[in-house]
Amino acid sequence: FKKAKHVTAKTRSFFEIDAQNLRHPKEIKVTGEAQNKKRFVYGKINSVFLLRGDLGLQNIIFSKADSKAIEVRYSSSLGATIGFAKPYYVQVVRRYNNASEKAVPFNSDSFTQDSVIGRGAFSDGLAETKFYPGINAKFNLSFEYAPYTNLIRAIETGISVDYFPKALPIMARNPAENIIVTFHVGFVFGQRWF
């Protein structure tokens, strides 16, 4: 969600709310070792979801000469981030008296890849979600190609940097991270309310 207001003819100030599911570069899905096997990420200890609220400025580099042209803009923003870290649950087989499946948080010390059947349900671990407050900075470059002035159709690319005072654990056997850098490409669509 983004709401902008003209400051000058080529500059807008804006407020933005942004949501992102964070994926660690070392996440690799593997398949469990049972008949009803499911894919899971070995070594993942938390599923992380980021919610950002930003204030920023957007400037036009090249304006549209006509309705078939492309407008090029850049924007920068600062704001607050909340990281939601939900423990990553996996299905394991407990073989004591009888074999039974059980959903447990991933623990790299007690599991091998062969002992895991697959990932747990999304609802497993929701009550154990931890919150990590932080700050973020973003820089975007967007290319608007909408044929009419009241529509917004653009391709946006950029970089986001999130800083968390308390380190955010994502993968086992990797240090928890205070600074998270993400690159993104996306489509923007909407309508202008002049």
Side-chain angles (χ1 to χ4, degrees), residues 55-111:
L55 294 173
L57 290 175
Q58 181 180 65
N59 292 303
I60 297 173
I61 300 171
F62 301 110
S63 297
K64 285 185 176 186
D66 60 35
S67 63
K68 295 179 183 175
I70 294 176
E71 184 173 276
V72 180
R73 300 180 295 223
Y74 72 91
S75 63
S76 56
S77 61
L78 292 171
T81 302
I82 299 175
F84 299 90
K86 181 183 85 66
Y88 188 72
Y89 272 67
V90 292
Q91 293 281 340
V92 296
V93 174
R94 300 287 187 200
R95 299 184 196 275
Y96 298 115
N97 295 336
N98 56 358
S100 64
E101 294 180 17
K102 184 176 181 182
V104 294
F106 184 83
N107 182 347
S108 62
D109 298 330
S110 60
F111 298 148

Side-chain angles (χ1 to χ4, degrees), residues 50-53 79-83 131-137 161-166 178:
L50 301 177
L51 184 64
R52 299 183 183 113
T81 302
I82 299 175
F131 304 100
Y132 292 84
I135 58 172
N136 76 78
V161 179
D162 294 279
Y163 171 75
F164 297 95
K166 184 178 177 189
N178 291 90

